[in-house]
Amino acid sequence: MKTILPPQVITPSDVSVFLAGTIDMGNSIDWQQKFIDRANNEDTLNNVIVFNPRRASWDHTWTQTIENAQFSEQVNWELDAMENADVILLFLEGNSKSPISMMELGLFADSGKLMVCCEDGFWRKGNIDIVCKRKGIDQYNTFDELSAAVIAKLKKLVESR
């Protein structure tokens, strides 16, 4: 797999996945790397692109406004990557708030790209469950189940192209 981090240029690829979900300003577990490590064990996924929004050079002092060039670049990179991705893996940790991830769920609920795990304890799990059910979005109980399902979907996409 080839991982693309912001602000690297996004180029269309045959198969790609965006890793959406809990980051909590970099304070959450690095579940993105756990997924990448698992997927890298699959030879058939060598050419898959992973869009990982966990920016190596994130600065917590950036003002989160449209006028801030770095912040605007990050948000636009994420939106572009989700639009270009074939699959959007959305993981919501039980102990997080993740309001931006909930916005991303809303933005892409009708895309057919989302695969979701919302852990027990998430403060708005009921809302997430209802949106997923209403929109027919595949939902999984654990990160491990979600990871396995996304890897299986990526394999099918690679085989079909």
Side-chain angles (χ1 to χ4, degrees):
M1 298 184 89
K2 179 181 176 189
T3 302
I4 297 180
L5 300 169
Q8 290 177 297
V9 174
I10 296 168
T11 56
S13 69
D14 286 335
V15 177
S16 59
V17 58
F18 182 87
L19 305 180
T22 302
I23 293 181
D24 288 341
M25 302 295 283
N27 294 318
S28 70
I29 61 167
D30 192 352
W31 60 265
Q32 294 90 346
Q33 192 58 52
K34 281 177 63 176
F35 173 80
I36 291 166
D37 291 345
R38 286 180 187 170
N40 273 333
N41 289 328
E42 304 292 333
D43 291 336
T44 58
L45 301 183
N46 289 339
N47 294 323
V48 171
I49 300 292
V50 179
F51 298 117
N52 183 355
R54 212 179 252 267
R55 187 182 189 119
S57 60
W58 180 258
D59 184 341
H60 298 288
T61 65
W62 289 344
T63 306
Q64 294 191 15
T65 65
I66 195 169
E67 293 82 17
N68 182 296
Q70 295 95 341
F71 178 72
S72 184
E73 175 186 58
Q74 175 75 25
V75 172
N76 281 299
W77 183 92
E78 291 181 24
L79 292 169
D80 289 343
M82 283 185 279
E83 288 172 359
N84 281 287
D86 295 298
V87 177
I88 299 173
L89 178 161
L90 176 59
F91 175 64
L92 300 167
E93 281 186 24
N95 62 349
S96 71
K97 296 280 185 197
S98 303
I100 303 307
S101 300
M102 290 191 297
M103 178 187 67
E104 293 167 346
L105 171 66
L107 284 171
F108 291 92
D110 290 323
S111 70
K113 300 177 180 187
L114 279 162
M115 299 174 76
V116 175
C117 172
C118 182
E119 290 185 329
D120 287 336
F122 186 76
W123 73 301
R124 294 293 184 250
K125 181 169 175 34
N127 295 78
I128 302 302
D129 292 345
I130 291 166
V131 169
C132 288
K133 183 176 181 182
R134 183 179 185 118
K135 297 294 185 175
I137 297 168
D138 292 337
Q139 199 169 7
Y140 304 87
N141 294 318
T142 67
F143 175 75
D144 290 340
E145 289 175 7
L146 173 64
S147 295
V150 169
I151 288 169
K153 182 161 187 168
L154 292 172
K155 285 180 178 180
K156 285 182 183 176
L157 288 170
V158 167
E159 291 169 5
S160 70
R161 294 189 185 174

